[in-house]
């Protein structure tokens, strides 16, 4: 028997209550947005809203949006078209755009996107109840104020989209890095850290509810810092240790590490705690120092390589994944080759690879020319993807024959008899279920691999 998931209580209650107004919510973009939607759901549940998974049933349709690349925004606009169709059938329906696109476009959104009633930025979710009341009177309701303090510290997120095993916990918000291509500092505002006690409380609540894995989120987790008069400052390594020591059965992950700021102290903390997962998402963006400088990343190719070496030294078994941008302003063919050679050298386990997309008002938009032709960007991206596929393939071969501790997360879509879970290195493994249950830790020996998954069997 598969264990009942404890989270369903909350979830089912939210779905069941028929007398209440219903909210339907779609989430795009990064893990931060997933975490934010859970905060939003918590604020709305307090107001008596229940959740629906069917758009047509919603009284309030929310879309939590992303502005990172133009195609992310186009996708949201497409979905808004669907929302509008529902509203045309049922006039009382309210449409709200929240998240990064709301922040970037502000009032413009209600002009550009017909029938949008609410526009709410990432730091303004506490005002949702008032804004909904305002929109109820037929006025457009907009709040896109950014804050230097807001961390939604004491709000307990409703884990409505979770599998009951893994959860995200935001430890900080905003970003002060100002990478020249990036919209995030504009949509998310200044960097600020959350009170560590509230983080520990939230993780403890997850542990009490049977969760087995938590991912600590921030745009640059290495800059986490909590300072209070009379108390010792808490940095990221310390926070990581405190979270890991709450419960040995609780896996701890985090994202994202910034090459310039990642310390040996963090690596040592990882190495000395079995339940801190051996995986670092470590975005390189480019393998060429001149391009990195134009990107304002603050590190060189050599620095990046030295940090990868440090990771390997402290934790030879650690997986490293990355993000790469192809065709940034003025990138030459030789500079693109530097990215390829870095990828080959680093042997990334996985990479997220993108074509450069110019974002309005960023430094790159104002001061640099987006002058790599579209077809060249595409061709370079294809080369990057092809190379990474080869690298991933090689890396995976090394996993075959090895035994990993796997946290069981669910039943395989393809067969009831198969379970799936992830290794500490964040790799998905599929294996025959034997007596294992969701939420268990099992030792799995890997026998083979497909493109995306490892295939194995439970060993004693
Ligand atoms: N804070 C994280 C990344 C946040 S955005 C970091 O610094 O690593 C996720 C990824 O989107 C980035 O790592 C980058 O590779 C990509 N990205 C950001 N802005 C982009 C743009 N304008 N065009 C293409 N890709 C972009
Ligand atoms: Fe954007 Fe750079 Fe901040 Fe990441 S660190 S969110 S890429 S500005
Ligand atoms: Fe997108 Fe905003 Fe995240 S722009 S990547 S949703 S911080």
């Amino acid at each position: 028997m598969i264990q009942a998931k404890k989270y369903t209580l909350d979830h089912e209650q939210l779905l069941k209550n028929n007398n209440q107004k219903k909210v339907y919510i779609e989430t795009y973009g990064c893990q931060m947005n997933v975490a934010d939607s859970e905060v939003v759901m918590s604020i709305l549940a307090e107001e008596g809203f229940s959740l629906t998974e069917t758009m047509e049933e919603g009284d309030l349709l929310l879309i939590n949006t992303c502005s990172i690349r133009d195609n992310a925004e186009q996708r949201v606009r497409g979905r808004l078209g669907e929302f509008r169709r529902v509203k045309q059938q049922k006039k009382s329906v309210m449409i709200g755009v929240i998240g990064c696109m709301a922040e970037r476009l502000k009032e413009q959104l209600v002009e550009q996107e017909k029938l949008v009633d609410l526009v709410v930025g990432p730091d303004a979710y506490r005002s949702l109840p008032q804004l909904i009341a305002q929109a109820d009177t037929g006025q457009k309701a907009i709040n896109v104020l950014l804050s230097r303090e807001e961390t939604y510290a004491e709000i307990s997120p409703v884990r409505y989209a979770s599998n009951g095993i893994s959860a995200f916990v935001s430890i900080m918000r905003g970003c002060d890095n100002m990478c020249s291509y990036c919209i995030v500092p504009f949509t998310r505002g200044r960097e600020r850290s959350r009170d560590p006690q509230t983080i520990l409380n939230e993780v403890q609540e997850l542990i009490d509810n049977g969760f087995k894995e938590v991912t600590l989120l921030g745009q640059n987790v290495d800059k986490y810092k909590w300072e209070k008069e009379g108390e010792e400052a808490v940095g990221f390594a310390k926070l990581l240790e405190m979270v890991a020591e709450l419960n040995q059965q609780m896996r701890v992950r985090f994202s994202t590490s910034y090459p310039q700021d990642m310390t040996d102290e963090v690596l040592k903390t990882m190495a000395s705690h079995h339940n801190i997962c051996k995986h670092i998402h470590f975005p390189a963006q480019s393998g060429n120092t001149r391009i990195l400088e134009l990107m304002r990343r603050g590190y060189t190719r050599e620095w990046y390589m030295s940090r990868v070496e440090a990771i390997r030294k402290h934790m030879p078994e650690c997986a490293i994944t990355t993000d790469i941008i192809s065709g940034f302003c003025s990138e030459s063919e030789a500079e693109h080759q530097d990215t390829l050679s870095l990828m080959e050298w680093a042997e990334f386990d996985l990479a997220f690879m993108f074509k450069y997309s110019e974002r309005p008002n960023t430094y790159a938009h104002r001061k640099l020319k987006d002058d790599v032709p579209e077809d060249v960007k595409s061709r370079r991206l294809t080369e990057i993807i092809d190379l990474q596929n080869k690298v991933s393939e090689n890396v995976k071969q090394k996993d075959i024959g090895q035994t990993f501790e796997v946290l069981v997360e669910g039943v395989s879509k393809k067969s009831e008899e198969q379970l799936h879970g992830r290794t500490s290195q964040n790799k998905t493994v599929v294996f025959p279920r034997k007596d294992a249950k969701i939420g268990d830790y099992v030792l799995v020996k890997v026998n083979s691999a497909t493109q995306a998954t490892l295939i194995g069997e439970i060993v004693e």
Side-chain angles (χ1 to χ4, degrees), residues 28-33 65-68 100 183-184 187-188 219:
Y28 295 87
C30 62
Q31 296 166 334
M32 286 276 183
N33 261 12
T65 60
C66 176
S67 288
I68 200 82
C100 290
I183 197 76
V184 172
T187 63
R188 293 265 164 179
Q219 294 298 350

Side-chain angles (χ1 to χ4, degrees), residues 71-136:
N71 56 10
E73 292 200 349
Q74 294 315 325
R75 197 154 157 230
V76 165
R77 291 188 194 272
R79 288 308 291 165
L80 276 172
E82 294 297 311
F83 282 28
R84 267 196 291 274
R85 256 185 283 283
V86 173
K87 182 160 177 162
Q88 275 151 359
Q89 301 298 315
K90 192 164 115 192
K91 292 276 180 288
S92 63
V93 164
M94 197 181 281
I95 298 180
V97 180
I98 65 175
C100 290
M101 244 176 114
E103 192 62 50
R104 189 176 87 72
L105 293 164
K106 307 182 169 59
E107 296 78 16
Q108 283 176 52
L109 250 182
V110 291
E111 289 151 25
Q112 292 168 1
E113 295 289 336
K114 298 215 168 40
L115 303 184
V116 166
D117 305 284
L118 278 174
V119 176
V120 190
D123 284 347
Y125 296 145
R126 283 183 207 264
S127 67
L128 268 164
Q130 296 91 289
L131 294 169
I132 291 168
Q134 185 183 334
D136 251 337

Side-chain angles (χ1 to χ4, degrees), residues 154-168:
E154 78 307 340
I155 294 184
S156 176
V158 176
R159 309 280 171 192
Y160 70 90
S162 158
N163 60 357
I165 301 293
S166 310
F168 296 128

Side-chain angles (χ1 to χ4, degrees), residues 171 193-197 199-200 203 216 221-227 231-246 252 254 261-273 275-276:
I171 61 166
S193 296
R194 176 178 171 188
D195 182 338
Q197 194 52 53
I199 297 170
L200 293 173
V203 177
L216 308 178
V221 290
D222 302 290
K223 293 256 290 285
Y224 176 86
K225 190 156 201 165
W226 179 258
E227 287 171 301
E231 288 175 24
E232 210 177 317
V234 179
F236 183 57
K238 181 70 189 162
L239 178 75
L240 201 52
E241 180 186 286
M242 292 194 298
V243 172
E245 287 178 357
L246 282 176
V252 184
F254 56 87
D261 301 322
M262 191 195 60
T263 61
D264 286 350
E265 207 189 341
V266 167
L267 298 178
K268 284 179 194 151
T269 306
M270 288 178 78
S272 61
H273 290 80
N275 61 326
I276 303 181

Side-chain angles (χ1 to χ4, degrees), residues 231-397:
E231 288 175 24
E232 210 177 317
V234 179
F236 183 57
K238 181 70 189 162
L239 178 75
L240 201 52
E241 180 186 286
M242 292 194 298
V243 172
E245 287 178 357
L246 282 176
N247 187 314
Q248 294 304 311
Q249 293 295 304
M250 187 70 157
R251 273 186 171 181
V252 184
R253 298 183 183 277
F254 56 87
S255 190
T256 304
S257 303
Y258 194 78
Q260 183 64 32
D261 301 322
M262 191 195 60
T263 61
D264 286 350
E265 207 189 341
V266 167
L267 298 178
K268 284 179 194 151
T269 306
M270 288 178 78
S272 61
H273 290 80
H274 177 73
N275 61 326
I276 303 181
C277 289
K278 303 300 179 275
H279 167 220
I280 298 184
H281 186 56
F282 206 52
Q285 314 299 0
S286 164
N288 175 269
T289 297
R290 189 187 73 91
I291 293 296
L292 286 168
E293 226 166 84
L294 284 179
M295 287 178 164
R296 299 195 147 184
R297 290 288 286 182
Y299 53 86
T300 60
R301 174 189 175 92
E302 289 69 31
W303 172 268
Y304 184 87
M305 292 168 88
S306 72
R307 297 319 289 153
V308 169
E309 281 169 345
I311 297 171
R312 302 258 189 249
K313 187 182 101 199
H314 288 280
M315 294 169 288
E317 76 282 26
C318 191
I320 305 179
T321 57
T322 201
D323 294 346
I324 300 286
I325 299 176
S326 85
F328 187 62
C329 308
S330 78
E331 182 189 68
S332 72
E333 213 48 47
E335 288 163 341
H336 161 63
Q337 289 298 327
D338 283 347
T339 297
L340 294 176
S341 71
L342 178 78
M343 293 174 76
E344 216 162 4
W345 175 86
E347 298 190 305
F348 296 117
D349 293 84
L350 183 91
F352 298 96
M353 301 156 283
F354 314 101
K355 263 193 279 186
Y356 171 57
S357 165
E358 186 178 72
R359 307 312 292 135
N361 299 324
T362 54
Y363 179 89
H365 169 238
R366 288 181 289 113
K367 304 281 171 149
L368 306 173
K369 254 209 199 99
D370 182 13
D371 54 2
V372 176
E374 193 56 30
D375 60 325
V376 175
K377 275 186 196 170
S378 296
R379 194 251 306 145
R380 288 182 190 167
L381 180 64
T382 306
E383 288 175 13
I384 287 169
I385 293 171
D386 288 348
L387 173 65
Q388 184 54 41
N389 284 343
K390 255 193 276 167
V391 171
S392 299
E393 192 55 42
N394 289 341
V395 174
K396 231 179 284 155
Q397 289 306 316

